[in-house]
Amino acid sequence: MAGGGGAGELKLLGHWASAYVTRVKLALHLKGVSYEYVEEDLRNKSDLLLASNPVHKTVPVLIHNGNPIRESQIIVQYIDEAFSGAGDSLLPADPHERAVARFWTAYIEDKLVAPWEKVFRAKTEEERAAWMKQMFVAVEALEGGLKECSKGKGCFFGGDSVGYVDVVLGGGVSFVHANDVITGGKLFDAAKTPLLAEWLGRFGELDAAKAVLQDVDRAVEYTKVLYARNAATTAANN
């Protein structure tokens, strides 16, 4: 990637389908920072990944001048601080606004992403429906978060420009669309969450989003494989 100079040696270990990795890619592209991307085979992890993340042994890992940074939200904050002179700041300068942004990213992680991951591991359709219901409840609350963070403008969580919350939520945009294709519903329904529905379209038109978001058709096929794999595992254990 072409972009801001002075980054030093910057390498991102990732997997194409990981929404967590996509967050980091979005931050790097928005900041205009050059980096080397290394695609990992998560069934045959490289020695570099195992050495860089010996605790969790997973992606993403950002290696800056030989020093590894782990966990997607921590990496995004690191990028914003380490390359403060490149591009717009992702986190607000005001302490209160920064706290609000961090609150909503924690909410996204706990109330939206965590149930979403459990949808794939559900053993029954009833269990899957229960986790999906929690996701819809979280999305309705997040609508208020977008209104709060954007100060009523409804453009981005960062206001007129993309911010930290946008990057964290934006990492999963392709899989939001994939979920809609598979279920026939709308996670960000314009009738119930109009601001988020508009945000979804607006975010997808960003140059950074077009550069790094997964192809939706590929995301659909990948999601179907996850469902099928979980169904086979459940059947084998019964």
Side-chain angles (χ1 to χ4, degrees):
M1 173 193 168
E9 182 185 5
L10 198 63
K11 183 179 294 186
L12 173 62
L13 311 183
H15 182 262
W16 74 270
S18 170
Y20 301 109
V21 173
T22 304
R23 292 172 178 175
V24 179
K25 289 181 177 179
L26 284 166
L28 289 165
H29 279 257
L30 287 165
K31 299 291 283 187
V33 177
S34 297
Y35 66 99
E36 176 188 353
Y37 177 70
V38 179
E39 178 73 9
E40 286 283 342
D41 178 355
L42 299 183
R43 295 189 176 185
N44 184 26
K45 299 172 183 178
S46 71
D47 291 340
L48 179 59
L49 173 58
L50 295 175
S52 302
N53 195 0
V55 177
H56 298 300
K57 300 181 177 62
T58 190
V59 293
V61 176
L62 185 71
I63 303 175
H64 187 199
N65 292 330
N67 299 312
I69 304 97
R70 312 167 188 97
E71 301 294 331
S72 63
Q73 289 198 34
I74 293 173
I75 296 172
V76 170
Q77 293 182 53
Y78 176 86
I79 291 168
D80 198 33
E81 295 172 0
F83 308 108
S84 58
D88 294 331
S89 178
L90 298 176
L91 277 159
D94 179 78
H96 177 260
E97 292 179 5
R98 185 177 295 231
V100 169
R102 284 176 169 151
F103 169 83
W104 284 111
T105 53
Y107 185 88
I108 290 168
E109 208 74 72
D110 294 341
K111 303 300 183 181
L112 184 59
V113 176
W116 202 338
E117 291 180 344
K118 289 176 181 177
V119 165
F120 296 113
R121 300 186 179 95
K123 296 180 179 179
T124 65
E125 287 302 317
E126 290 78 9
E127 185 180 346
R128 179 173 290 113
W131 288 119
M132 285 296 299
K133 182 178 180 180
Q134 287 195 27
M135 288 171 59
F136 280 108
V137 171
V139 167
E140 290 183 13
L142 192 57
E143 175 85 352
L146 177 52
K147 185 175 182 180
E148 178 183 14
C149 292
S150 67
K151 297 182 174 60
K153 297 177 182 177
C155 301
F156 295 105
F157 284 88
D160 291 325
S161 61
V162 176
Y164 177 52
V165 185
D166 298 286
V167 170
V168 170
L169 183 61
V173 160
S174 291
F175 287 94
V176 170
H177 290 301
N179 180 78
D180 291 349
V181 171
I182 293 170
T183 65
K186 290 284 186 182
L187 186 59
F188 292 175
D189 189 342
K192 297 180 179 178
T193 55
L195 295 180
L196 280 172
E198 290 181 12
W199 174 91
L200 187 67
R202 190 180 295 112
F203 190 89
E205 290 302 312
L206 294 170
D207 290 341
K210 291 178 180 179
V212 307
L213 288 180
Q214 298 89 341
D215 174 75
V216 174
D217 289 338
R218 191 181 183 192
V220 168
E221 292 307 312
Y222 182 80
T223 302
K224 287 180 178 178
V225 168
L226 289 181
Y227 278 128
R229 187 180 299 162
N230 179 67
T233 301
T234 301
N237 292 333
N238 290 336

